[in-house]
Amino acid sequence: MKRELLMIPGPVMCTPSVLGEISRPVVSHVSSEFIEVFGDSLRKLKQVFMTESGEVFVVAGSGTLAMEMALVNVCEPGDNVLILSNGLFGERFREICMRHKLNADYQQAEKPGSCVSISKVEEKIEGKEYKAVTVTHVDTSTSVKAPVKELGGIIRKTNAVFIVDGVCATAGEEERMDNWGIDVLLTASQKAIGVPPGLALLAFSEKAVEIYGERKNPVDSYFLDTQNWRNVMDSYMNGKPSYFATPPVNLIFALNTSLTEILREGLEERFKRHALIAQAFREAVKSMGLNIVPFKEEYAANTVTAIYYPEGVEDKVFRSEMRREGVIVAGGLGPLKGRTFRVGHMGNVNPSDIIATISAVERALLKTGCQVTLGQGLEAAQRVLKEL
Ligand SMILES: *Cc1c(COP(=O)(O)O)cnc(C)c1O
């Protein structure tokens, strides 16, 4: 049997109990067994999103679908949208806006590794009326984490709907929908939620639902119109089936099991574990003389880290060396392609996984001709991990 550590920023490794749900016999989407599980998973998702008043949606699809679902339900053609972008996934919001004829005001971080400043955001929202403001909580391409709490504090004072892409953050980074004033929170199953790819997960606040109610035109997508899904989610939560489009039953069984495991660990504990493992990893790579992409520790993400290669290390060679060691890491994205590698450390990641990853990085760097002292990164990580 091939055993490897999948340390990429999604999809992530799943627990055996979650995987077991994928191979269970398929049941009817209107069976009592499924009704109960779907209802449970929607209630648990609200807990993981930290929302009481938000309406949750679980739809077959990926994170990109969730991004599009958020925008098309909130906005109509011609609306102004402010996009706060710290990397490639911010850019994706802009592309979705263009496709739906939304007026995107694209505010980009100065350079890869920096983060759009709060003062810039204040200046922007004072100058124009926006229907929505989007931000990527953790931009997976740069591993930069946006200050979502502070942004929420500013945006909640305006009429704009605050849309947060939590795809690489939710259930890993501290993220409190109601408390922080998030209006649409979206994520996907295959990142810190710990389920195989295939589910788009969203919640809409009362403000977002109200804005929907004021629409002049129907949503220009049949599948993505929340109006079509609302009754489905409400029914299952009330113990009754309802049909709009067939739910991916096995994935929803897996989601329910993973959410149970997440809540059993406890969200606060989970945030702490992610923070400590990420810190251990950052300390390790820095002690090896490598540079991470985020300029400041305060916006270095706890779910993924993007690292610059030292002079002379070839991306292809390094990553195939890592693969030979049994550790799968990701390459760079966009302008960082070829110059960086990315390590995902979210979901079920534990201290042993990160130690194994660091040791493989040390050996792979040595083999690619770098000056590294074996054990240096491990020692730095150990000093942090002993606090867990
Ligand atoms: C992975 C990711 C996406 C895209 O999700 P898909 O499931 O690949 O469509 C969007 N935003 C962020 C921040 C991501 O990490």
Side-chain angles (χ1 to χ4, degrees), residues 75-365:
C75 300
E76 299 181 58
D79 280 347
N80 293 329
V81 180
L82 176 61
I83 296 166
L84 310 176
S85 173
N86 299 318
L88 205 79
F89 289 100
E91 222 168 291
R92 180 162 294 191
F93 267 130
R94 176 167 71 160
E95 282 167 17
I96 296 170
C97 281
M98 288 185 338
R99 190 60 65 94
H100 291 281
K101 304 193 166 52
L102 309 179
N103 219 340
D105 204 338
Y106 186 64
Q107 191 58 52
Q108 202 175 2
E110 259 167 56
K111 47 194 157 184
S114 60
C115 182
V116 176
S117 71
I118 294 284
S119 57
K120 191 79 207 172
V121 177
E122 283 172 330
E123 181 193 313
K124 281 278 170 190
I125 58 176
E126 268 162 36
K128 207 193 256 181
E129 183 83 9
Y130 291 101
K131 189 65 159 294
V133 179
T134 76
V135 74
T136 316
H137 195 166
V138 170
D139 201 301
T140 322
S141 64
T142 53
S143 71
V144 166
K145 173 172 66 183
V148 173
K149 183 184 180 183
E150 286 73 16
L151 290 170
I154 299 168
I155 296 159
R156 77 195 319 167
K157 293 183 200 136
T158 72
N159 293 325
V161 172
F162 186 29
I163 299 174
V164 175
D165 172 355
V167 179
C168 193
T170 308
E173 297 281 359
E174 183 184 3
E175 187 182 68
R176 305 173 193 275
M177 179 167 173
D178 286 359
N179 242 319
W180 291 3
I182 300 170
D183 293 306
V184 181
L185 182 58
L186 64 99
T187 188
S189 51
Q190 80 275 19
K191 306 226 177 159
I193 298 283
V195 171
L199 293 176
L201 315 169
L202 303 96
F204 282 63
S205 73
E206 284 169 341
K207 180 174 172 182
V209 174
E210 232 167 77
I211 295 282
Y212 181 101
E214 293 165 6
R215 295 183 71 90
K216 293 182 189 70
N217 305 290
V219 172
D220 62 0
S221 161
Y222 180 63
F223 186 76
L224 296 184
D225 190 341
T226 49
Q227 196 61 51
N228 288 329
W229 293 104
R230 177 163 299 121
N231 188 36
V232 175
M233 304 302 150
D234 282 351
S235 294
Y236 278 92
M237 277 202 271
N238 289 312
K240 290 189 293 271
S242 167
Y243 170 75
F244 168 57
T246 309
V249 286
N250 286 56
L251 276 173
I252 290 169
F253 275 105
L255 175 68
N256 192 44
T257 296
S258 194
L259 293 174
T260 303
E261 290 171 357
I262 290 169
L263 293 170
R264 195 183 298 140
E265 178 181 18
L267 289 169
E268 307 299 335
E269 279 305 309
R270 200 172 168 90
F271 300 152
K272 242 186 268 170
R273 169 169 60 83
H274 279 81
L276 210 70
I277 288 176
Q279 194 201 339
F281 185 67
R282 289 193 296 268
E283 293 299 323
V285 292
K286 284 183 204 163
S287 81
M288 288 183 236
L290 306 182
N291 295 315
I292 64 171
V293 174
F295 286 143
K296 285 189 190 154
E297 188 71 13
E298 68 186 81
Y299 44 72
N302 292 324
T303 48
V304 57
T305 303
I307 304 127
Y308 286 107
Y309 283 119
E311 195 84 40
V313 175
E314 279 244 14
D315 177 48
K316 253 195 167 149
V317 180
F318 173 81
R319 285 195 293 132
S320 66
E321 205 52 60
M322 289 291 286
R323 202 176 315 123
R324 238 173 40 85
E325 298 277 359
V327 182
I328 313 299
V329 298
L333 282 181
L336 298 171
K337 195 171 157 64
R339 298 165 52 211
T340 57
F341 67 102
R342 295 174 304 144
V343 171
H345 32 75
M346 66 184 125
N348 299 299
V349 68
N350 65 25
S352 312
D353 298 333
I354 209 70
I355 285 292
T357 304
I358 295 163
S359 80
V361 170
E362 288 184 349
R363 295 192 300 273
L365 284 176

